[in-house]
Amino acid sequence: MHEDRRKEQALPADEKRKNSSKEERLPIWVKQSVLEYEKELKTLQIELLKLQNHVKDKGLKILMIFEGRDAAGKGGTIKRITEHLNPRGARVVALDKPSDVEKTQWYFQRYAEYLPSAGEIVLFDRSWYNRGGVEPVMGFCTEEEHHEFLNHVSEFERMLVNSGIILFKFYFSVSKTEQARRFKERKTDPLKQFKLSPVDAKSQELWDKYTVVKHSMLKASHTGTAPWIIIRSDNKKKARINCIKHILSSVQYPTKNPPDLKTSKKILIWGDEEIKLMEIGMAAKDNNSLNNEG
Protein backbone atom coordinates (compact mmCIF):
# COMPACT_ATOMS: atom_id res chain seq x y z
CA MET A 1 0.00 0.00 0.00
CA HIS A 2 1.22 3.52 -0.78
CA GLU A 3 2.68 5.33 2.24
CA ASP A 4 0.23 8.28 1.91
CA ARG A 5 -2.69 5.84 1.86
CA ARG A 6 -1.47 4.21 5.12
CA LYS A 7 -1.20 7.64 6.77
CA GLU A 8 -4.76 8.47 5.67
CA GLN A 9 -6.13 5.25 7.14
CA ALA A 10 -4.30 5.93 10.41
CA LEU A 11 -6.11 9.27 10.93
CA PRO A 12 -8.81 9.34 13.63
CA ALA A 13 -12.44 9.29 12.43
CA ASP A 14 -13.07 12.88 13.57
CA GLU A 15 -10.04 14.11 11.65
CA LYS A 16 -11.19 12.28 8.51
CA ARG A 17 -14.64 13.89 8.73
CA LYS A 18 -13.02 17.30 9.23
CA ASN A 19 -10.83 16.88 6.16
CA SER A 20 -13.76 15.54 4.13
CA SER A 21 -15.92 18.48 5.15
CA LYS A 22 -13.23 20.90 4.05
CA GLU A 23 -13.06 19.28 0.62
CA GLU A 24 -16.82 19.29 0.10
CA ARG A 25 -17.40 22.93 1.07
CA LEU A 26 -15.73 24.69 -1.80
CA PRO A 27 -17.11 28.18 -2.53
CA ILE A 28 -19.01 28.28 -5.82
CA TRP A 29 -20.31 31.55 -7.24
CA VAL A 30 -23.36 31.30 -9.46
CA LYS A 31 -25.19 34.23 -11.06
CA GLN A 32 -28.62 34.93 -9.59
CA SER A 33 -30.08 34.87 -13.11
CA VAL A 34 -28.75 31.33 -13.64
CA LEU A 35 -30.32 30.11 -10.38
CA GLU A 36 -33.65 31.67 -11.33
CA TYR A 37 -33.48 30.11 -14.79
CA GLU A 38 -32.73 26.65 -13.40
CA LYS A 39 -35.56 26.93 -10.86
CA GLU A 40 -38.08 28.00 -13.51
CA LEU A 41 -36.85 25.34 -15.95
CA LYS A 42 -37.29 22.59 -13.34
CA THR A 43 -40.86 23.73 -12.66
CA LEU A 44 -41.67 23.70 -16.37
CA GLN A 45 -40.06 20.28 -16.84
CA ILE A 46 -42.32 18.89 -14.12
CA GLU A 47 -45.27 20.21 -16.10
CA LEU A 48 -43.90 18.60 -19.27
CA LEU A 49 -43.95 15.26 -17.45
CA LYS A 50 -47.60 15.81 -16.56
CA LEU A 51 -48.28 16.65 -20.19
CA GLN A 52 -46.54 13.47 -21.33
CA ASN A 53 -48.62 11.37 -18.93
CA HIS A 54 -51.77 12.96 -20.36
CA VAL A 55 -50.58 12.29 -23.92
CA LYS A 56 -50.05 8.63 -23.04
CA ASP A 57 -53.36 8.25 -21.14
CA LYS A 58 -55.45 9.83 -23.89
CA GLY A 59 -53.51 8.43 -26.85
CA LEU A 60 -52.65 11.88 -28.18
CA LYS A 61 -50.07 12.45 -30.91
CA ILE A 62 -47.76 15.47 -30.62
CA LEU A 63 -45.26 16.49 -33.28
CA MET A 64 -42.80 19.34 -32.72
CA ILE A 65 -40.69 20.72 -35.57
CA PHE A 66 -37.57 22.73 -34.74
CA GLU A 67 -36.10 24.80 -37.55
CA GLY A 68 -33.80 27.79 -37.81
CA ARG A 69 -30.37 28.90 -38.88
CA ASP A 70 -27.29 26.95 -37.82
CA ALA A 71 -26.29 27.51 -34.17
CA ALA A 72 -29.70 29.03 -33.39
CA GLY A 73 -30.19 26.88 -30.26
CA LYS A 74 -32.60 24.21 -31.54
CA GLY A 75 -30.68 21.27 -30.09
CA GLY A 76 -30.28 22.83 -26.65
CA THR A 77 -34.01 23.51 -26.42
CA ILE A 78 -34.88 19.96 -27.51
CA LYS A 79 -32.50 18.63 -24.86
CA ARG A 80 -34.23 20.62 -22.10
CA ILE A 81 -37.68 19.54 -23.25
CA THR A 82 -36.83 15.83 -23.32
CA GLU A 83 -34.35 15.80 -20.41
CA HIS A 84 -36.75 14.23 -17.90
CA LEU A 85 -39.41 12.76 -20.20
CA ASN A 86 -39.90 9.01 -20.44
CA PRO A 87 -37.89 8.03 -23.56
CA ARG A 88 -40.45 5.31 -24.34
CA GLY A 89 -42.95 8.01 -25.26
CA ALA A 90 -40.70 10.82 -26.47
CA ARG A 91 -38.48 10.49 -29.55
CA VAL A 92 -36.04 12.92 -31.13
CA VAL A 93 -35.65 12.58 -34.90
CA ALA A 94 -32.55 14.04 -36.56
CA LEU A 95 -32.17 12.49 -39.99
CA ASP A 96 -28.93 12.37 -41.93
CA LYS A 97 -28.76 13.27 -45.62
CA PRO A 98 -31.02 11.02 -47.76
CA SER A 99 -29.67 7.74 -49.09
CA ASP A 100 -29.60 6.92 -52.81
CA VAL A 101 -32.88 5.02 -52.38
CA GLU A 102 -34.53 7.84 -50.41
CA LYS A 103 -33.57 10.33 -53.11
CA THR A 104 -35.88 8.44 -55.49
CA GLN A 105 -38.85 8.52 -53.09
CA TRP A 106 -41.62 11.06 -52.68
CA TYR A 107 -39.94 13.83 -50.70
CA PHE A 108 -42.11 13.51 -47.57
CA GLN A 109 -41.94 9.72 -47.57
CA ARG A 110 -38.95 9.18 -45.30
CA TYR A 111 -40.28 11.68 -42.75
CA ALA A 112 -43.69 9.98 -42.59
CA GLU A 113 -42.02 6.89 -41.11
CA TYR A 114 -41.16 8.85 -37.95
CA LEU A 115 -44.51 10.54 -37.30
CA PRO A 116 -45.95 10.00 -33.80
CA SER A 117 -48.27 7.12 -32.98
CA ALA A 118 -50.91 7.34 -30.23
CA GLY A 119 -49.38 8.31 -26.90
CA GLU A 120 -46.15 9.67 -28.41
CA ILE A 121 -44.33 12.98 -28.51
CA VAL A 122 -41.91 13.30 -31.44
CA LEU A 123 -39.45 16.15 -31.86
CA PHE A 124 -37.87 16.79 -35.27
CA ASP A 125 -34.43 18.42 -35.08
CA ARG A 126 -34.81 19.79 -38.61
CA SER A 127 -37.47 18.26 -40.80
CA TRP A 128 -38.95 18.35 -44.30
CA TYR A 129 -38.22 22.09 -44.14
CA ASN A 130 -34.66 21.27 -45.18
CA ARG A 131 -36.10 21.72 -48.66
CA GLY A 132 -37.46 25.09 -47.66
CA GLY A 133 -34.12 26.38 -46.40
CA VAL A 134 -30.77 24.59 -46.54
CA GLU A 135 -31.26 22.61 -49.76
CA PRO A 136 -32.08 25.50 -52.14
CA VAL A 137 -29.34 27.72 -50.68
CA MET A 138 -26.66 25.02 -50.84
CA GLY A 139 -27.77 23.71 -54.25
CA PHE A 140 -28.90 20.33 -52.87
CA CYS A 141 -32.18 20.57 -54.78
CA THR A 142 -33.33 22.21 -58.00
CA GLU A 143 -35.36 25.40 -58.15
CA GLU A 144 -38.31 23.36 -59.43
CA GLU A 145 -38.07 20.95 -56.47
CA HIS A 146 -37.99 23.89 -54.09
CA HIS A 147 -41.10 25.48 -55.61
CA GLU A 148 -42.86 22.11 -55.67
CA PHE A 149 -42.19 21.75 -51.95
CA LEU A 150 -43.54 25.22 -51.16
CA ASN A 151 -46.69 24.47 -53.16
CA HIS A 152 -47.46 21.22 -51.31
CA VAL A 153 -46.11 21.51 -47.76
CA SER A 154 -49.22 23.23 -46.36
CA GLU A 155 -51.50 20.54 -47.76
CA PHE A 156 -49.26 17.83 -46.30
CA GLU A 157 -49.42 19.47 -42.87
CA ARG A 158 -53.18 19.98 -43.14
CA MET A 159 -53.53 16.21 -43.58
CA LEU A 160 -51.34 15.60 -40.53
CA VAL A 161 -53.43 17.89 -38.35
CA ASN A 162 -56.69 16.41 -39.68
CA SER A 163 -55.39 12.96 -38.77
CA GLY A 164 -55.24 14.02 -35.13
CA ILE A 165 -51.62 15.15 -34.81
CA ILE A 166 -51.03 18.20 -32.60
CA LEU A 167 -48.41 20.09 -34.58
CA PHE A 168 -45.95 22.69 -33.29
CA LYS A 169 -43.60 24.49 -35.68
CA PHE A 170 -40.79 26.49 -34.06
CA TYR A 171 -38.34 28.63 -36.01
CA PHE A 172 -35.34 29.73 -33.94
CA SER A 173 -34.09 33.11 -35.14
CA VAL A 174 -30.52 34.08 -34.25
CA SER A 175 -28.73 37.29 -35.22
CA LYS A 176 -25.76 37.21 -37.58
CA THR A 177 -23.42 38.54 -34.90
CA GLU A 178 -24.49 35.96 -32.33
CA GLN A 179 -24.25 33.14 -34.86
CA ALA A 180 -20.66 34.16 -35.65
CA ARG A 181 -19.83 34.17 -31.92
CA ARG A 182 -21.26 30.68 -31.47
CA PHE A 183 -19.36 29.33 -34.48
CA LYS A 184 -16.15 30.72 -32.99
CA GLU A 185 -16.93 29.02 -29.70
CA ARG A 186 -17.53 25.71 -31.45
CA LYS A 187 -14.16 25.90 -33.17
CA THR A 188 -12.31 26.29 -29.87
CA ASP A 189 -14.40 23.97 -27.67
CA PRO A 190 -13.48 20.29 -28.25
CA LEU A 191 -16.86 19.20 -26.85
CA LYS A 192 -18.72 21.27 -29.46
CA GLN A 193 -16.58 20.72 -32.54
CA PHE A 194 -18.78 17.83 -33.66
CA LYS A 195 -21.50 20.41 -34.35
CA LEU A 196 -19.46 22.07 -37.08
CA SER A 197 -20.18 21.05 -40.67
CA PRO A 198 -19.40 22.30 -44.19
CA VAL A 199 -22.87 23.84 -44.24
CA ASP A 200 -22.10 25.78 -41.06
CA ALA A 201 -18.92 27.17 -42.61
CA LYS A 202 -20.95 28.93 -45.32
CA SER A 203 -23.81 30.15 -43.11
CA GLN A 204 -22.33 33.61 -42.56
CA GLU A 205 -21.30 34.00 -46.18
CA LEU A 206 -24.78 33.00 -47.40
CA TRP A 207 -26.71 34.90 -44.73
CA ASP A 208 -28.77 37.00 -47.17
CA LYS A 209 -29.72 33.98 -49.29
CA TYR A 210 -30.95 32.18 -46.18
CA THR A 211 -33.02 35.26 -45.34
CA VAL A 212 -34.71 35.17 -48.77
CA VAL A 213 -35.63 31.47 -48.56
CA LYS A 214 -36.77 31.90 -44.94
CA HIS A 215 -39.23 34.56 -46.10
CA SER A 216 -40.49 32.33 -48.93
CA MET A 217 -40.87 29.40 -46.56
CA LEU A 218 -42.83 31.35 -43.97
CA LYS A 219 -45.09 32.91 -46.61
CA ALA A 220 -45.91 29.49 -48.07
CA SER A 221 -46.33 27.51 -44.87
CA HIS A 222 -47.61 29.81 -42.11
CA THR A 223 -51.29 28.84 -42.01
CA GLY A 224 -54.10 28.83 -39.49
CA THR A 225 -53.91 25.05 -39.40
CA ALA A 226 -50.13 24.86 -38.95
CA PRO A 227 -48.77 28.25 -37.85
CA TRP A 228 -45.11 29.08 -37.27
CA ILE A 229 -43.87 30.25 -33.89
CA ILE A 230 -40.73 32.39 -34.11
CA ILE A 231 -38.30 32.22 -31.18
CA ARG A 232 -35.69 34.97 -30.84
CA SER A 233 -32.75 32.90 -29.62
CA ASP A 234 -29.79 35.23 -29.05
CA ASN A 235 -30.46 34.53 -25.37
CA LYS A 236 -30.62 30.72 -25.24
CA LYS A 237 -32.10 30.48 -21.76
CA LYS A 238 -34.98 32.85 -22.50
CA ALA A 239 -35.60 31.06 -25.81
CA ARG A 240 -35.90 27.69 -24.06
CA ILE A 241 -38.20 28.98 -21.33
CA ASN A 242 -40.53 30.74 -23.78
CA CYS A 243 -40.68 27.74 -26.10
CA ILE A 244 -41.67 25.38 -23.26
CA LYS A 245 -44.22 27.86 -21.95
CA HIS A 246 -45.88 27.99 -25.35
CA ILE A 247 -46.12 24.20 -25.52
CA LEU A 248 -47.65 23.94 -22.05
CA SER A 249 -50.13 26.75 -22.63
CA SER A 250 -51.31 25.18 -25.92
CA VAL A 251 -52.42 21.79 -24.56
CA GLN A 252 -54.84 21.25 -21.71
CA TYR A 253 -53.99 18.44 -19.27
CA PRO A 254 -55.14 17.50 -15.76
CA THR A 255 -53.32 18.74 -12.63
CA LYS A 256 -51.83 21.62 -14.60
CA ASN A 257 -50.19 23.80 -11.98
CA PRO A 258 -47.47 25.76 -13.73
CA PRO A 259 -46.15 29.20 -12.95
CA ASP A 260 -47.14 32.11 -15.17
CA LEU A 261 -47.09 30.80 -18.76
CA LYS A 262 -47.14 34.24 -20.33
CA THR A 263 -44.47 34.49 -23.02
CA SER A 264 -42.34 37.51 -23.88
CA LYS A 265 -43.22 39.35 -27.10
CA LYS A 266 -39.52 40.20 -27.39
CA ILE A 267 -38.71 36.47 -27.59
CA LEU A 268 -41.76 34.72 -29.09
CA ILE A 269 -43.93 35.98 -31.93
CA TRP A 270 -46.21 34.42 -34.56
CA GLY A 271 -45.07 33.74 -38.10
CA ASP A 272 -47.24 36.44 -39.71
CA GLU A 273 -45.61 39.08 -37.51
CA GLU A 274 -42.17 37.85 -38.55
CA ILE A 275 -43.16 38.00 -42.23
CA LYS A 276 -44.18 41.66 -41.85
CA LEU A 277 -40.97 42.55 -40.03
CA MET A 278 -38.87 40.78 -42.66
CA GLU A 279 -40.64 42.55 -45.50
CA ILE A 280 -40.08 45.94 -43.86
CA GLY A 281 -36.39 45.12 -43.38
CA MET A 282 -35.95 43.82 -46.92
CA ALA A 283 -37.68 46.87 -48.39
CA ALA A 284 -35.44 49.21 -46.38
CA LYS A 285 -32.36 47.34 -47.55
CA ASP A 286 -33.46 47.58 -51.17
CA ASN A 287 -34.04 51.33 -50.81
CA ASN A 288 -30.59 51.80 -49.31
CA SER A 289 -29.06 49.86 -52.20
CA LEU A 290 -30.86 52.06 -54.75
CA ASN A 291 -29.73 55.23 -52.96
CA ASN A 292 -26.14 53.99 -52.88
CA GLU A 293 -26.26 53.16 -56.58
CA GLY A 294 -27.71 56.58 -57.35
Side-chain angles (χ1 to χ4, degrees):
M1 184 181 294
H2 195 278
E3 183 179 351
D4 291 341
R5 185 67 59 83
R6 286 199 299 270
K7 288 180 180 178
E8 182 181 334
Q9 288 188 344
L11 288 173
D14 290 346
E15 188 68 20
K16 286 183 180 181
R17 282 196 296 271
K18 185 178 180 181
N19 291 340
S20 176
S21 177
K22 287 180 180 178
E23 290 178 355
E24 292 173 359
R25 295 180 181 178
L26 293 174
I28 299 175
W29 300 96
V30 182
K31 290 182 180 180
Q32 182 65 30
S33 60
V34 173
L35 294 175
E36 292 172 355
Y37 159 73
E38 291 178 348
K39 181 180 179 181
E40 185 172 19
L41 178 62
K42 181 179 179 180
T43 302
L44 294 173
Q45 287 175 329
I46 291 171
E47 293 301 313
L48 284 171
L49 270 170
K50 294 179 185 178
L51 173 61
Q52 184 184 29
N53 290 334
H54 177 65
V55 168
K56 182 178 179 181
D57 291 342
K58 298 299 181 181
L60 302 181
K61 297 175 286 186
I62 292 184
L63 175 63
M64 303 180 193
I65 289 175
F66 292 82
E67 292 290 341
R69 297 180 190 264
D70 297 308
K74 303 179 294 296
T77 302
I78 292 172
K79 180 179 179 181
R80 272 64 180 190
I81 292 172
T82 60
E83 190 170 11
H84 298 290
L85 297 183
N86 186 337
R88 291 191 180 92
R91 292 186 286 116
V92 178
V93 178
L95 299 184
D96 202 351
K97 62 182 182 181
S99 65
D100 291 339
V101 173
E102 288 172 332
K103 289 178 182 177
T104 68
Q105 297 173 346
W106 176 51
Y107 181 70
F108 295 101
Q109 187 170 337
R110 74 179 186 133
Y111 294 100
E113 177 184 350
Y114 299 95
L115 294 174
S117 301
E120 278 193 315
I121 298 173
V122 174
L123 303 92
F124 274 71
D125 186 352
R126 295 202 180 279
S127 65
W128 44 82
Y129 282 103
N130 278 331
R131 182 144 293 180
V134 175
E135 290 188 13
V137 172
M138 297 299 296
F140 297 156
C141 71
T142 65
E143 187 175 337
E144 291 74 16
E145 288 172 331
H146 179 220
H147 290 158
E148 183 77 2
F149 169 81
L150 295 179
N151 288 333
H152 291 94
V153 64
S154 293
E155 178 62 18
F156 175 68
E157 291 174 352
R158 185 189 65 79
M159 290 189 289
L160 295 183
V161 173
N162 288 347
S163 74
I165 290 176
I166 300 172
L167 177 61
F168 292 94
K169 297 193 304 186
F170 296 108
Y171 188 96
F172 281 66
S173 179
V174 66
S175 67
K176 188 176 184 180
T177 302
E178 178 62 17
Q179 186 191 60
R181 189 195 68 78
R182 292 178 186 177
F183 282 157
K184 184 178 180 180
E185 183 182 13
R186 288 181 178 184
K187 289 178 182 178
T188 57
D189 188 341
L191 295 177
K192 295 183 178 181
Q193 286 177 359
F194 78 95
K195 295 182 178 182
L196 288 171
S197 70
V199 173
D200 294 336
K202 294 187 177 181
S203 294
Q204 289 274 297
E205 177 187 340
L206 299 172
W207 182 270
D208 290 342
K209 289 187 177 180
Y210 274 112
T211 299
V212 171
V213 296
K214 172 189 173 183
H215 176 258
S216 299
M217 182 190 77
L218 293 179
K219 286 275 286 186
S221 58
H222 177 74
T223 65
T225 303
W228 278 103
I229 300 297
I230 311 300
I231 308 285
R232 303 274 184 251
S233 60
D234 275 13
N235 185 315
K236 290 182 179 181
K237 292 182 176 64
K238 290 182 179 180
R240 295 163 188 166
I241 293 295
N242 278 266
C243 182
I244 297 174
K245 281 184 175 182
H246 178 78
I247 294 167
L248 293 173
S249 64
S250 300
V251 183
Q252 294 303 315
Y253 56 92
T255 67
K256 180 185 281 193
N257 187 31
D260 181 15
L261 291 181
K262 185 178 180 181
T263 56
S264 169
K265 292 183 179 180
K266 294 181 180 179
I267 305 296
L268 186 151
I269 65 172
W270 292 90
D272 53 347
E273 296 177 70
E274 179 77 340
I275 292 169
K276 291 177 183 177
L277 291 173
M278 290 188 73
E279 289 175 347
I280 292 171
M282 293 163 75
K285 188 172 183 179
D286 289 341
N287 288 335
N288 287 335
S289 297
L290 288 173
N291 292 334
N292 290 335
E293 288 175 4

